[in-house]
Amino acid sequence: MNPLSKVVLFLVAIFVSTTALSMPKIRTEFGKTLEGMMRIKVINETNRDLACYVGIDGWKIKFRLPPHKHSKWYKATDPRYTYNSFTTWCDYIERHPAYRQYIL
């Protein structure tokens, strides 16, 4: 096997392994409350339960998200926060069983 074939095979293996470990498909929506505070909602676009959190300024709110459902709105407590101040994360609940305790 020539060196170029080895490189191509290695790159294909890297691509296949990273897609196998990909994160679930979620969507986030942002809005503002009547008081002018930023808010966020996470939408699960998969067929499986997800373990998720929404974070802002170091605080994390953990929750489970059923298939094809959305979370409730989570709002900031200060009008100076923007949509860039929020962080979100979701992964399959099977990988994070501790999240099963959280209310839907």
Side-chain angles (χ1 to χ4, degrees):
M1 188 179 253
N2 66 25
L4 181 59
S5 297
K6 288 181 182 179
V7 169
V8 169
L9 185 61
F10 176 74
L11 292 175
V12 168
I14 293 284
F15 176 76
V16 169
S17 66
T18 56
T19 57
L21 298 173
S22 64
M23 299 300 282
K25 184 171 179 166
I26 61 167
R27 188 167 40 104
T28 54
E29 287 186 10
F30 296 92
K32 284 197 172 189
T33 65
L34 295 175
E35 298 85 26
M37 307 289 188
M38 286 301 299
R39 63 184 186 165
I40 186 171
K41 175 171 62 171
V42 181
I43 302 164
N44 181 357
E45 296 184 342
T46 69
N47 292 325
R48 295 166 58 189
D49 281 343
L50 299 180
C52 298
Y53 76 72
V54 170
I56 186 165
D57 197 31
W59 293 93
K60 290 182 183 176
I61 302 167
K62 299 178 180 181
F63 56 94
R64 290 184 341 200
L65 198 53
H68 300 289
K69 300 284 182 185
H70 59 83
S71 69
K72 66 179 190 175
W73 286 102
Y74 296 101
K75 69 175 184 166
T77 57
D78 191 319
R80 292 176 290 184
Y81 287 121
T82 66
Y83 72 93
N84 288 325
S85 304
F86 288 96
T87 59
T88 58
W89 169 88
C90 288
D91 200 0
Y92 298 110
I93 196 98
E94 295 86 17
R95 296 182 188 165
H96 307 277
Y99 276 76
R100 291 191 190 278
Q101 69 181 345
Y102 295 106
I103 298 172
L104 294 174

